[in-house]
C-alpha cells in the first residue's frame, strides 16, 4: 500500500495535534535551592564610589578597562569580556533625580543561559544556586549571550582563546561553608564572599542567603515605603527579582523605577519557559522522533516493495 | 528521445571563466577566514555582546541550511508520497543539500569562538541541559553524513562504470548493499531535517524577552519547518532551470510546473498559518510598529510568489518558475533573517551591521557552494536528461 | 624645665661659631652666629614634647613614644650621627635646616648627637678628621651613618676625595663600623643628578657600594627632611629601623605614589587637565598629568608632608609637574614633560549611562551588502527570461 496524500495529511494532522498537546502540559516552575546565596543592592545607599568595580577586577584577576580612557582610568562603560561588575548612572534631563545602578549577573532561579548552553559550561550550583562558568565545555557559540534578558554574558571577541565572562559571585574564593553570622546573614568567612559586597563602604550591596535578603528588602520597604518604587513610575514599591523572570538571586531595591534603570519587564514566567516547554513537548523521552522514524522507514520500505513489483511509479534510486 | 531518468555527468571543462570568478570569490573568503582564525572574531566582524549572532548565523547557517532543504523537500514527494516523476531532480537536490549543509557547518566553525572544543559536542552530549542548540548541532552533523551516503551512488556508479581498479572494486562491493539499505538511510534523511529545522525555530524562543512578539510564537518551530520545505522547493526549481539552461539538460518544465504547484500550496499554507497565528494571539495591531514592516515584507513576498504561481500557464513557463523560485527563496530567507537578526532586539544601545570581511566570508561560502555544485555535476552522474547520443 | 638654649655650651659652639659672618647667611637674615632661631625664653618641656609628637606623628610613630623620645633626649641617651658628604649639592642638609618652625635643627642636636657634619662643622681640616676618627672609635657599632651625595667609582673613585681619601674608601670605612646606615637624597640613594647620562664619574648610590648591608634610602631631590627625621627618631627611640621596601625606602614615606595622594587628584579623576602652561586650567590648578607629571610612577610623600612645613612648596604646589626626583628610572632620565603610563588605573569621576551605545553600522559594508543582494536578485530576475527562450524543447 502506498502512502497516498490523504493518509499523509491525516497523520500530519494527528501529529500536529499531539504537538499542540505538548506545550499544554504544565512545566513546574523552578524554586531556588534552599541554600541559595544572593545579593541585595539598594540604590538609596549607593554613593557611586566604584570601589566594587575595582575590587571585582582585582578579585577576579581582570585588568583595569582602559580601552576608552587612553590608559588613564579604569573606565568600563558596560560589562564586557574584562568587566564583571559595573556602576552606571541614571540621570534625568529635566529633574535632579539620579540613581546609581550596579550591573552584574542576576543568578536567576531558572536561568536562560544554562538552558542555552549545549554542554553545560554554564551551570547552576545545586546548593548555592550560583550560576558558574567553566570554559572546559564552551565552544564559544554565544547562545548564552543571545538568551540572557539582562545582557550579562559577555564574550571576549578580541581574544584569541575567548571565554564567556560574567559575575560568578566570587565562587572561586569560597573554601568553607557559609554560616549564620552576628549580622543576621549567612556568610562565608572573611575574604570568601563576593568582593563587591566585602568592600562596599555603605552596605549598598550586601550578600547572604536569598531568603534572608528578601526578608530584609521587604522590611526596608515596610519601614520606609516612601523611599522605594516599583517597576514603572506609578507601580507600588517592591523588590526586583522576587518573581521577575521566575525570580533572581540578586535582588534590587530602588528609588527610581526599575524600567528606567534598564531592568527588563519580564513578568513572573521564567525566561526559558516557552522554549523549554516546546522542546520538551516535542522530544519528551525521544518518543516522537523514534515513532516518526519508524513510520517513515515503514512507508519507504513499502513503497520500494511496490516499486519492485512493478506497481509503483518511483521508489528508491 | 532522451532518457530522462538516467543521470550522467555533464562533462566538459571545469575551469570556465565563470568558474574562475567563483573560485576567486571563494578564495577571497578563504583568506578572510584564515585572518579570522589568526586574529580573532573582533578583527573581522562587527559582532558584539548585544548582537552576538550576525550574518554568519542568520544567513550562512540558518538560511543556508534551509536552502539545503531541497533534498528533504523533494524526498518527501518522491519517496514518501511515491511520486516517481520527481526522480530526475532528486540527486541534484541532494547534492545541493549536501553542499548547503556542509558549508553551513564550515560557517559555524568560523563563527564559533572556541571551535577547537567542537569535538566535545558529540562526546559529551550527556551533559545536555536541554539546549535546543545541542539537538541542532548533533542532528546537522549526522544529516551531513546521511547526505553523503545518499549521494554516494552518484560517485559509485561512475566508478562502477569506469576502468578496473580499487575504486571499481569499492563500487562493485558497496552498491548492492547500499541500495538495500537505502530506505533506512532515506528515512533518517527525512527524520533529521524535520527535527533540526523545527529546532532552529525553537532556538529563538529562548531569548523570550528579546524577540519581537510578531515572531515570538510557540508555533515558531512549525513555521520554520514548513518554511524550509517551501524554500527547498524554491531552490530546486531554480537549480533545475539553471542546470537546464547552462548544462543543456532536458528542461523538465511539466514536472517543475507540478512542483511549483506544490510549492505554491506550501507557501500559501505557511502564509495563512503565519497571519492567522498573529491574529489569533491578538498581535495584529503590532503590524503597525516599525518591525511590522518586515512582517509585511515576509507576507508580501510570499503572496507575490503565490500570485505568480496561481496561474497554470505561468507555472509551465520557465521564466515565471524561476521568478517565483527567487521570490520563494527570498521570502523564506527573510523570515529566517528576521527571526534571528531583525526582530531580535537586545536594547536601543546596540547596533549591528556586518563588516566587509564578514560579508566577504559569506560571499566566499556561497561562491564555494556554486563552484562545488558545478564541479560535481560535471564530474559525477547527478543530472538527468542528457541530450541523445551524449556520453553516459 | 629643660633649657635647650645654652649658647655657651662648648659642643654647640662647634656648630654655631663661624669664621666669617657672611659664610652663614640664612634666608631669614640671621648670620648663623646665633643658634638657628630660638625663643628668648627657650623651649619649655611642653613645646619640646609637642615637637617630638609632631616629628613622631609625621612618620607614624605612636604618640606614647613621643614622651619616651623626650625622656631619652633629656637623659642624654642620644645616638651618635656621622654625616658624610660626597657628590652632593648639600640640598638635603639645607632642606633639613629649613625645618625651623619649630627649631628642629636645634632639637636634633638634642635628640641625637651630630658628631660629624662637614657643612655645619665650624672645624675643618685635621680637627674635623680627628673628630670623625674619635666618634668612630667611641661609638663603634652604634653610630648612625648618614650619607649625602653620590659616590664616584670611575678610575678608582678619584673624582671625589676628602682628606686624601676617595669617597669609596671613606664610605666603606665608616659604614663598616656603623650601627645603621641611611642614604639621604637621591644622590646617595641611587646616584642622583651626578649619575645622569653620560655619568662621566661613574656616580652611584651608597647601596651599590655597600652591597650586602642594610642601607635605608631616603630618595628625593631634596629628600623630605621628615622622612629622615622619622627614621632617625625611630632608631633613636626604639633601636629599630622602619619597614623598608625592596629599594630600602621606608614604606611609611615611599609606600604610595604621589598620584595616590595628590591634592589635584580630583581634577585627574574628572578629566580636568592643564594642556599648556598658563592656560585656563593652569590658572584653576588642574591636574598636570598631560604636562608630564611623573606623579603616577613616583613613590614619595611630598603631597602629604610639606617641605619645610610650607604647604605648597613642592613642584605640583607651584604648578609644575612632578619630575619623579625619587625614582632612578625617571629623574634626570625621562624628559620633564613626557607623560608616563598609569600603572594602576582607577575609575574616573564620570559614570557610564544606563545604556551606553555600542556597535556601529559601517557605510561601506551596507553599500556592499545592498549591492550584492540587489545584483544577485536582479540578475536572477532578468536571467529568468532567458530560461524561457533558450534551452532544449520542453519535455512532456
Amino acid at each position: 500500500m502506498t502512502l497516498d496524500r490523504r493518509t499523509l495529511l491525516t497523520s500530519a494532522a494527528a501529529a500536529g495535534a499531539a504537538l499542540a498537546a505538548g506545550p499544554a502540559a504544565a512545566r513546574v516552575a523552578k524554586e531556588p535551592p534552599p541554600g541559595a546565596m544572593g545579593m541585595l543592592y539598594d540604590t538609596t545607599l549607593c554613593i557611586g564610589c566604584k570601589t566594587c568595580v575595582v575590587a571585582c577586577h582585582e578579585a577576579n584577576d581582570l585588568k583595569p578597562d582602559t580601552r576608552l580612557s587612553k590608559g588613564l582610568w579604569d573606565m568600563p562603560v558596560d560589562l564586557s569580556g574584562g568587566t564583571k561588575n559595573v556602576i552606571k548612572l541614571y540621570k534625568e534631563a529635566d529633574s535632579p533625580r539620579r540613581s546609581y545602578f550596579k550591573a552584574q549577573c542576576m543568578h536567576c532561579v531558572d536561568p536562560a543561559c544554562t538552558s542555552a548552553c549545549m554542554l553545560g559550561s554554564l551551570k547552576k550550583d545545586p546548593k548555592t544556586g550560583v550560576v558558574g562558568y567553566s570554559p572546559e565545555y564552551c565552544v564559544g557559540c554565544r547562545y548564552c549571550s543571545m538568551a540572557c534578558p539582562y545582557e550579562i554574558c559577555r564574550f571576549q571577541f578580541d581574544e584569541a582563546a575567548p571565554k564567556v565572562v560574567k559575575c560568578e559571585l566570587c565562587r572561586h574564593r569560597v573554601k568553607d561553608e557559609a554560616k549564620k553570622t552576628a549580622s543576621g546573614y549567612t556568610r562565608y568567612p572573611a575574604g570568601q564572599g563576593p568582593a563587591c559586597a566585602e568592600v562596599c563602604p555603605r552596605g549598598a550591596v550586601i550578600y547572604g542567603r536569598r531568603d534572608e535578603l528578601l526578608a530584609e528588602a521587604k522590611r526596608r520597604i515596610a519601614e520606609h515605603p516612601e523611599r522605594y518604587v516599583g517597576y514603572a513610575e506609578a507601580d507600588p514599591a517592591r523588590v526586583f527579582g522576587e518573581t521577575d523572570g521566575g525570580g533572581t538571586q540578586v535582588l534590587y531595591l530602588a528609588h527610581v523605577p526599575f524600567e528606567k534603570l534598564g531592568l527588563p519587564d519580564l513578568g513572573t514566567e521564567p525566561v526559558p519557559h516557552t522554549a523549554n516547554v516546546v522542546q520538551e513537548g516535542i522530544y519528551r523521552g525521544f518518543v516522537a522522533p523514534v515513532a516518526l522514524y519508524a513510520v517513515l522507514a515503514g512507508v519507504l520500505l513499502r513503497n520500494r516493495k511496490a516499486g519492485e513489483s512493478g506497481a509503483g511509479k518511483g521508489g528508491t534510486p | 528521445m532522451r532518457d530522462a531518468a538516467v543521470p550522467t555527468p555533464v562533462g566538459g571543462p571545469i575551469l570556465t571563466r565563470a568558474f574562475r570568478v567563483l573560485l576567486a570569490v571563494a578564495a577571497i573568503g578563504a583568506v578572510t577566514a584564515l585572518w579570522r582564525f589568526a586574529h580573532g572574531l573582533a578583527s573581522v566582524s562587527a559582532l558584539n555582546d548585544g548582537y552576538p549572532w550576525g550574518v554568519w548565523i542568520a544567513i550562512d547557517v540558518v538560511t543556508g541550511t534551509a536552502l539545503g532543504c531541497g533534498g528533504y523537500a523533494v524526498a518527501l514527494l518522491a519517496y514518501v508520497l511515491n511520486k516517481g516523476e520527481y526522480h530526475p531532480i532528486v540527486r541534484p537536490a541532494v547534492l545541493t543539500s549536501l553542499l548547503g549543509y556542509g558549508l553551513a557547518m564550515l560557517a559555524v566553525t568560523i563563527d564559533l569562538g572556541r571551535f577547537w572544543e567542537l569535538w566535545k559536542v558529540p562526546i559529551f552530549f550527556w551533559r545536555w541541559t536541554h539546549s535546543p542548540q545541542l539537538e541542532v548541532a548533533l542532528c546537522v552533523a549526522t544529516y551531513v553524513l546521511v547526505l553523503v551516503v545518499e549521494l554516494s551512488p552518484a560517485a559509485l556508479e561512475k566508478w562502477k562504470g569506469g576502468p578496473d581498479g580499487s575504486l571499481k572494486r569499492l563500487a562493485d562491493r558497496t552498491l548492492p548493499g547500499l541500495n538495500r539499505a537505502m530506505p533506512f538511510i532515506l528515512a533518517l534523511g527525512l527524520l533529521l531535517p524535520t527535527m533540526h529545522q523545527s529546532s532552529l525555530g525553537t532556538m529563538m524562543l529562548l531569548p523570550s524577552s528579546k524577540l519581537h512578539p510578531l515572531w515570538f510564537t510557540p508555533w515558531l518551530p512549525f513555521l520554520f519547518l514548513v518554511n524550509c520545505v517551501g524554500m527547498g522547493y524554491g531552490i530546486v526549481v531554480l537549480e533545475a532551470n539553471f542546470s537546464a539552461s547552462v548544462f543543456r539538460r532536458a528542461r523538465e518544465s511539466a514536472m517543475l510546473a507540478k512542483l511549483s504547484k506544490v510549492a505554491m500550496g506550501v507557501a500559501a499554507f505557511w502564509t495563512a498559518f503565519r497571519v492567522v497565528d498573529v491574529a489569533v494571539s491578538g498581535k495584529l495591531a503590532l503590524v503597525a510598529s516599525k518591525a511590522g514592516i518586515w512582517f509585511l515584507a515576509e507576507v508580501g513576498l510570499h503572496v507575490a510568489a503565490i500570485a505568480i504561481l496561481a496561474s497554470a500557464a505561468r507555472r509551465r513557463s520557465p521564466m515565471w518558475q524561476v521568478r517565483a523560485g527567487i521570490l520563494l527563496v527570498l521570502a523564506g530567507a527573510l523570515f529566517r533573517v528576521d527571526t534571528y537578526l531583525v526582530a531580535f532586539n537586545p536594547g536601543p544601545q546596540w547596533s549591528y551591521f556586518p563588516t566587509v570581511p564578514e560579508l566577504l566570508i559569506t560571499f566566499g561560502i556561497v561562491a564555494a557552494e556554486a563552484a562545488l555544485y558545478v564541479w560535481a555535476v560535471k564530474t559525477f552522474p547527478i543530472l538527468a536528461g542528457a541530450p541523445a547520443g551524449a556520453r553516459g | 624645665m629643660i633649657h635647650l638654649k645654652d649658647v655657651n655650651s662648648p659642643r654647640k659652639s662647634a656648630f654655631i661659631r663661624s669664621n666669617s659672618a657672611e659664610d652663614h647667611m640664612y634666608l631669614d637674615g640671621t648670620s648663623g652666629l646665633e643658634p638657628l632661631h630660638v625663643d628668648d625664653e627657650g623651649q619649655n618641656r611642653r613645646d619640646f614634647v609637642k615637637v617630638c609628637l609632631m616629628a613622631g606623628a609625621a612618620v607614624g610613630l605612636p604618640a606614647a613614644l613621643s614622651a619616651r623620645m623626650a625622656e631619652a633626649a633629656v637623659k642624654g641617651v642620644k645616638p651618635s650621627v656621622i654625616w658624610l658628604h660626597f657628590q652632593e649639592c648639600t640640598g638635603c642638609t639645607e632642606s633639613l635646616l629649613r625645618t625651623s618652625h619649630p627649631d628642629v635643627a636645634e632639637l636634633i642636636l638634642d635628640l641625637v648627637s651630630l658628631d660629624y657634619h662637614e657643612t655645619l662643622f665650624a672645624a675643618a681640616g685635621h680637627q674635623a678628621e680627628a673628630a670623625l676618627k674619635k666618634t668612630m672609635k667611641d661609638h663603634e657599632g652604634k653610630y648612625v651613618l648618614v650619607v649625602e651625595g653620590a659616590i664616584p667609582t670611575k678610575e678608582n673613585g678619584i673624582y671625589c676625595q676628602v682628606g686624601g681619601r676617595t669617597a669609596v674608601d671613606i664610605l666603606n670605612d665608616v659604614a663598616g663600623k656603623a650601627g645603621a646606615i641611611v642614604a639621604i637624597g637621591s644622590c646617595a640613594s641611587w646616584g642622583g643628578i651626578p649619575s645622569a647620562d653620560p655619568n662621566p664619574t661613574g656616580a652611584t648610590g651608597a647601596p651599590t657600594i655597600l652591597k650586602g648591608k642594610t642601607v635605608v634610602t631616603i630618595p628625593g631631590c631634596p629628600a623630605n627632611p621628615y622622612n629622615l627625621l622619622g627614621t632617625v627618631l625611630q632608631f633613636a627611640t626604639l633601636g629599630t629601623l622602619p619597614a623598608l621596601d625592596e629599594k630600602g625606602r621606608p614604606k611609611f614615606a615611599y609606600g604610595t605614589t604621589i598620584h595616590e595622594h595628590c591634592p589635584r587628584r580630583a581634577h585627574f579623576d574628572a578629566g580636568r587637565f592643564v594642556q599648556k602652561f598658563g592656560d585656563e586650567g593652569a590658572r584653576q590648578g588642574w591636574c598636570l598629568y598631560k604636562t608630564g607629571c611623573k606623579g603616577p610612577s613616583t613613590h614619595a610623600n611630598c603631597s602629604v608632608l610639606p617641605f619645610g612645613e610650607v604647604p605648597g612648596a613642592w613642584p605640583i604646589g607651584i604648578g609644575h609637574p612632578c619630575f619623579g626626583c625619587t625614582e632612578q628610572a625617571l629623574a634626570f632620565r625621562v624628559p620633564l614633560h613626557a607623560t608616563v603610563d598609569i600603572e594602576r588605573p582607577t575609575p574616573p569621576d564620570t559614570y557610564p549611562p544606563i545604556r551606553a551605545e555600542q556597535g556601529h553600522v559601517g557605510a561601506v559594508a551596507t553599500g556592499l551588502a545592498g549591492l550584492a543582494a540587489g545584483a544577485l536578485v536582479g540578475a536572477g530576475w532578468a536571467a529568468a527570461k532567458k530560461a524561457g527562450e533558450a534551452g532544449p524543447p520542453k519535455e512532456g
Side-chain angles (χ1 to χ4, degrees):
Chain A
M1 164 220 120
T2 59
L3 189 67
D4 63 10
R5 192 178 302 153
R6 190 182 302 157
T7 324
L8 180 69
L9 285 173
T10 332
S11 3
L19 245 165
R27 185 171 165 274
V28 176
K30 272 208 192 134
E31 286 294 316
M37 299 295 281
M39 298 198 292
L40 171 63
Y41 173 73
D42 190 333
T43 65
T44 65
L45 296 172
C46 181
I47 55 172
C49 69
K50 301 193 206 119
T51 310
C52 57
V53 176
V54 176
C56 175
H57 275 148
E58 283 175 3
N60 285 278
D61 262 319
L62 293 167
K63 290 201 299 255
D65 185 348
T66 57
R67 285 174 301 169
L68 291 175
S69 67
K70 300 201 180 105
L72 290 184
W73 303 294
D74 184 1
M75 197 172 86
V77 294
D78 202 353
L79 300 173
S80 72
T83 297
K84 299 185 176 188
N85 171 47
V86 72
I87 294 289
K88 300 179 176 182
L89 174 64
Y90 168 75
K91 278 199 290 204
E92 278 178 358
D94 42 7
S95 95
R97 188 163 70 164
R98 306 177 138 217
S99 175
Y100 296 110
F101 179 76
K102 182 177 185 292
Q104 78 295 295
C105 179
M106 304 292 281
H107 296 281
C108 300
V109 171
D110 192 352
C113 62
T114 54
S115 285
C117 189
M118 285 200 291
L119 297 179
S121 248
L122 284 161
K123 228 181 169 143
K124 193 169 171 71
D125 186 288
K127 273 207 330 234
T128 63
V130 168
V131 180
Y133 168 78
S134 30
E136 239 190 303
Y137 295 102
C138 174
V139 295
C141 70
R142 294 140 4 237
Y143 193 21
C144 53
S145 289
M146 288 288 286
C148 179
Y150 304 98
E151 305 285 331
I152 297 305
C153 284
R154 299 289 162 132
F155 195 67
Q156 296 174 322
F157 285 103
D158 38 18
E159 292 284 334
K163 294 207 268 274
V164 171
V165 170
K166 72 167 196 73
C167 158
E168 297 179 55
L169 227 58
C170 283
R171 67 189 178 111
H172 63 285
R173 305 207 312 170
V174 173
K175 294 195 236 311
D176 305 306
E177 291 289 314
K179 291 200 179 63
K180 196 114 182 168
T181 59
S183 62
Y185 297 104
T186 304
R187 293 208 168 131
Y188 301 108
Q192 295 188 25
C196 55
E198 195 176 280
V199 300
C200 180
R202 306 281 298 145
V205 61
I206 57 175
Y207 88 97
R209 273 176 41 154
R210 182 180 188 263
D211 45 11
E212 294 164 350
L213 297 168
L214 194 54
E216 164 66 11
K218 289 185 168 159
R219 188 194 63 77
R220 289 185 197 179
I221 294 180
E223 243 176 59
H224 301 278
E226 75 290 352
R227 258 189 220 168
Y228 301 105
V229 295
Y231 189 81
E233 202 71 63
D235 289 350
R238 67 175 179 88
V239 186
F240 186 93
E242 186 178 1
T243 54
D244 300 80
T248 61
Q249 289 175 211
V250 174
L251 307 166
Y252 282 82
L253 284 172
H255 63 285
V256 160
F258 296 122
E259 66 179 352
K260 297 210 194 287
L261 296 175
L263 287 166
D265 187 10
L266 295 177
T268 56
E269 195 177 87
V271 169
H273 181 78
T274 308
N276 286 339
V277 161
V278 166
Q279 182 82 345
E280 223 178 304
I282 299 174
Y283 290 99
R284 202 176 3 217
F286 221 63
V287 168
V290 170
L292 184 59
Y293 181 76
V295 166
L296 288 166
V299 165
L300 291 176
L301 279 169
R302 235 174 284 209
N303 286 348
R304 199 224 337 241
K305 228 197 268 175
E308 277 163 2
S309 68
K313 295 167 259 177
T316 55
Chain B
M1 202 50 183
R2 297 159 197 268
D3 187 351
V6 177
T8 52
V10 171
I14 306 271
L15 285 175
T16 60
R17 172 134 45 110
F19 193 84
R20 269 190 262 255
V21 171
L22 288 175
L23 276 187
V25 176
I28 293 172
V31 167
T32 316
L34 284 173
W35 185 276
R36 169 262 175 277
F37 286 119
H39 297 278
L41 284 166
S43 67
V44 293
S45 75
L47 297 169
N48 51 55
D49 286 311
Y51 285 97
W53 286 350
V55 290
W56 291 340
I57 298 290
I59 295 182
D60 295 19
V61 179
V62 177
T63 307
T65 54
L67 292 175
C69 273
Y72 171 60
V74 170
L76 280 173
L77 292 174
Y79 302 132
V80 177
L81 294 182
N82 215 13
K83 305 232 178 259
E85 67 260 41
Y86 295 112
H87 240 279
I89 51 166
V90 166
R91 234 180 230 183
V94 174
L95 171 67
T96 316
S97 292
L98 175 60
L99 294 174
Y101 272 87
L103 287 163
M105 282 183 68
L106 176 65
V108 167
T109 313
I110 294 174
D111 179 83
L112 285 181
R114 299 170 58 87
F115 52 90
W116 54 87
E117 306 275 19
L118 255 180
W119 65 271
K120 290 187 175 159
V121 173
I123 311 272
F124 291 98
F125 63 90
W126 45 265
R127 291 172 59 91
W128 188 22
T129 53
H130 308 291
S131 164
Q133 192 181 253
L134 178 64
E135 191 261 299
V136 171
L138 293 171
C139 244
V140 167
T142 315
Y143 187 52
V144 170
L145 294 172
V146 168
L147 285 169
V148 169
V149 174
E150 270 189 39
L151 201 56
S152 58
L156 293 169
E157 276 166 26
K158 174 183 165 117
W159 295 329
K160 184 182 167 89
D164 284 328
S166 54
L167 286 175
K168 180 159 160 60
R169 278 199 301 277
L170 177 72
D172 288 335
R173 241 176 312 178
T174 53
L175 262 176
L178 194 58
N179 283 328
R180 274 199 302 275
M182 229 5 133
F184 299 97
I185 294 163
L186 285 173
L188 205 55
L190 287 162
L191 170 72
L192 294 172
T194 311
M195 287 170 68
H196 68 250
Q197 285 295 336
S198 57
S199 288
L200 279 175
T202 314
M203 273 179 65
M204 282 311 282
L205 290 179
L206 197 54
S208 55
S209 64
K210 296 194 260 187
L211 190 60
H212 192 280
L214 278 176
W215 281 262
F216 187 85
T217 158
W219 290 104
L220 205 55
F222 183 66
L223 283 169
F224 263 70
L225 185 60
V226 177
N227 157 282
C228 93
V229 173
M231 281 179 77
Y233 292 137
I235 202 73
V236 165
V237 167
L238 286 175
E239 174 260 311
N241 274 300
F242 167 80
S243 298
S245 298
V246 173
F247 302 122
R248 303 189 178 289
R249 290 283 154 132
R251 192 182 301 275
E252 307 263 5
S253 290
M255 179 261 287
L256 290 174
K258 262 201 191 152
L259 190 64
S260 296
K261 191 168 182 199
V262 176
M264 178 189 75
V266 172
F269 176 73
W270 185 92
T271 314
F273 197 96
R274 178 101 170 92
V275 174
V276 166
D277 177 45
V278 163
V280 160
S281 21
K283 294 176 186 167
L284 264 180
L286 291 170
V287 176
S289 69
K290 222 165 73 164
I293 295 178
W294 297 95
F295 172 81
L296 288 171
E298 285 169 27
V299 170
L301 282 169
H302 277 92
V303 165
I306 294 164
I308 291 178
L309 295 172
S311 136
R314 281 200 292 272
R315 284 201 295 272
R316 278 195 299 274
S317 147
M319 175 178 90
W320 287 112
Q321 283 174 1
V322 167
R323 289 184 173 178
I326 291 174
L327 286 172
L328 276 174
V329 166
L330 271 180
L334 184 62
F335 171 64
R336 289 176 174 242
V337 172
D338 281 350
T339 310
Y340 271 77
L341 211 45
V342 179
F344 178 75
N345 180 16
Q349 71 271 36
W350 298 100
S351 57
Y352 163 80
F353 196 86
T355 58
V356 170
E358 257 178 288
L359 292 170
L360 289 178
I361 289 181
T362 301
F363 297 159
I365 287 183
V366 172
E369 191 171 333
L372 283 167
Y373 178 86
V374 168
W375 168 80
V377 299
K378 282 188 176 173
T379 316
F380 296 101
I382 309 262
L383 293 176
R391 214 165 49 92
Chain C
M1 187 96 130
I2 299 166
H3 280 280
L4 297 171
K5 182 182 82 158
D6 193 346
V7 191
N8 295 317
S9 149
R11 266 189 71 246
K12 280 230 186 78
S13 68
F15 287 85
I16 59 170
R17 209 177 297 144
S18 153
N19 291 328
S20 145
E22 295 86 68
D23 288 349
H24 296 278
M25 206 55 160
Y26 290 105
L27 286 174
D28 63 357
T30 62
S31 64
L33 290 171
E34 304 222 303
L36 301 164
H37 184 74
V38 163
D39 297 341
D40 285 331
E41 296 300 303
Q43 301 286 334
N44 59 25
R45 182 172 210 287
R46 205 184 65 235
D47 287 342
F48 178 57
V49 173
K50 223 172 32 175
V51 168
C52 292
L53 244 165
M54 233 183 69
V59 296
L61 293 178
L65 286 174
S66 310
R68 234 171 104 178
M69 229 188 272
E71 266 179 50
V74 168
K75 281 210 194 98
V77 179
K78 302 179 268 266
S80 168
V81 174
I82 293 178
W83 191 300
L84 296 177
H85 290 71
F86 298 127
Q87 284 174 311
E88 40 77 37
C89 68
T90 319
C92 293
T93 294
E94 295 291 343
S95 163
L96 186 64
L97 295 177
R98 290 300 182 278
T99 55
S100 56
H101 294 283
D103 188 337
V104 179
E106 181 172 330
L107 294 172
I108 286 239
L109 305 182
D110 290 287
L111 286 170
V112 301
S113 177
L114 195 52
D115 291 330
Y116 181 83
H117 192 296
E118 289 155 20
T119 315
L120 300 177
F121 254 11
H126 294 294
Q127 191 186 4
E129 290 304 301
L132 177 61
K133 276 206 180 63
K134 183 169 191 301
T135 309
M136 283 174 68
K137 187 151 153 263
D138 291 347
H139 303 281
E140 185 173 329
K142 289 202 280 251
Y143 61 81
V144 177
L145 166 60
V146 179
V147 185
E148 183 179 351
I151 299 100
T153 53
K154 282 222 176 111
E155 294 174 62
N156 296 314
I158 60 168
Y159 293 107
C160 177
Q161 298 182 67
V162 179
R165 290 198 296 168
T166 63
V168 184
D169 289 341
I170 299 173
L171 181 61
N172 279 318
D173 183 21
V174 182
K177 303 183 183 81
I181 308 166
V182 179
I184 183 165
S186 290
C187 295
S189 299
W190 47 266
I193 202 167
S195 71
D197 287 342
N199 197 355
T201 65
T204 47
T208 316
I209 308 289
L210 302 171
K211 270 207 182 33
K213 286 197 163 62
T214 303
V215 179
V216 178
T217 56
I218 315 256
C221 190
N224 190 316
Y226 273 104
N227 296 345
L228 174 73
L229 272 175
T231 306
V232 172
L233 283 175
Q234 178 167 338
F235 187 74
T237 317
L238 301 172
T240 58
L241 292 172
L244 306 174
D245 69 9
E246 77 284 353
K247 292 193 170 109
R249 306 178 296 197
K251 282 186 183 167
F252 72 77
Y254 300 92
T256 53
T257 58
I258 295 288
H259 187 58
E260 286 171 76
H261 297 296
C262 184
R264 299 194 180 196
R265 181 60 184 272
H267 293 299
F268 174 88
D269 287 342
R272 292 186 287 262
F273 297 106
V274 172
Q275 305 287 351
K276 247 171 51 168
F277 292 119
D279 69 8
E280 185 56 31
R283 276 187 257 272
Q284 298 285 344
W286 288 359
C287 173
L288 294 159
Y289 174 76
K290 298 222 166 148
T291 59
C293 183
K294 309 294 185 293
S297 307
T298 303
H299 297 85
N301 56 349
C302 323
S303 48
V304 291
L305 201 55
F307 282 75
E309 302 118 38
V310 179
W314 66 304
I316 291 173
I318 58 150
H320 188 276
C322 161
F323 79 95
C325 71
T326 61
E327 301 285 349
Q328 182 172 16
L330 297 173
F332 319 116
R333 211 148 253 123
V334 177
L336 276 184
H337 302 121
T339 53
V340 289
D341 290 334
I342 307 288
E343 278 151 29
R344 281 172 298 183
T346 50
D349 191 25
T350 55
Y351 297 89
I354 295 292
R355 295 188 173 93
E357 272 196 30
Q358 288 162 84
H360 88 289
V361 177
V364 176
T366 314
L368 181 64
L371 211 70
L376 213 61
V377 174
W381 194 268
K385 225 185 190 173
K386 294 220 205 88
E389 296 153 10
K394 302 179 186 144
E395 290 295 298

